[in-house]
Amino acid sequence: YKDHNTMIDAAGILKSKNFPFELNLVGSGPTKEDIKSKVAAMGLEKQVKIFDRFLSDEELQKLYCKSDILVLPSRYEAYGMVIPEAMAHGCAIIASDTVGAKFMVREGFNGFTFRTNNPLDLAEKIILAGNNLKALQKNSRELMRTEFSDRRIIETYNKLISGLLRD
């Protein structure tokens, strides 16, 4: 359901357009050998690094700090914690239109959503993000500080609970 295939196909499109990129794929699962084979078959070994294991929190934090954009291509995911984590580190966000945390993506402000399972749409959104990277990164960090802070979430829950108790 993580849909690495769409990400790899998008990487192939980016390469064909001579768009410079480095892609880090993180995680392990039953499709890892297929993914490695596909990367090799498409000649993407120089652009794609595969971490075929789970990273420690410290390793993940370092990777966020080195990254410009987080892409979450999942076909379905209730709520990917990677989105707020990456936003807190100042990454622009690109998420499929079926992930639960897509509400954190403000189209064109801190990132973009793309049509699930559509590598061309994903590649186009990556290029758009790359062309406006600094603003998207700044806005991601700002959204985390203002709208998704612990204090703001507690205020929202309190309002919700108060409203339920009144009804």
Side-chain angles (χ1 to χ4, degrees), residues 2-19:
K2 294 290 186 181
D3 203 10
H4 290 108
N5 283 318
T6 294
M7 183 69 248
I8 295 166
D9 290 339
I13 293 167
L14 294 172
K15 182 179 178 185
S16 74
K17 293 179 180 273
N18 295 316
F19 186 83

Side-chain angles (χ1 to χ4, degrees), residues 39-89:
V39 166
M42 293 178 71
L44 294 168
E45 301 95 337
K46 289 182 182 175
Q47 291 89 358
V48 179
K49 180 172 183 175
I50 299 173
F51 295 90
D52 61 352
R53 61 185 174 82
F54 291 101
L55 300 181
S56 70
D57 285 343
E58 183 179 324
E59 290 172 309
L60 196 54
Q61 300 307 313
K62 286 179 182 176
L63 190 57
Y64 283 135
C65 289
K66 292 182 353 184
S67 300
D68 294 322
I69 300 170
L70 171 93
V71 177
L72 185 59
S74 300
R75 285 188 295 265
Y76 54 88
E77 190 158 331
Y79 184 84
M81 280 303 295
V82 295
I83 289 180
E85 289 172 356
M87 286 174 63
H89 285 85

Side-chain angles (χ1 to χ4, degrees), residues 156-167:
T156 302
Y157 279 123
N158 284 339
K159 287 178 186 175
L160 177 64
I161 291 168
S162 295
L164 291 173
L165 293 175
R166 278 193 295 264
D167 294 341

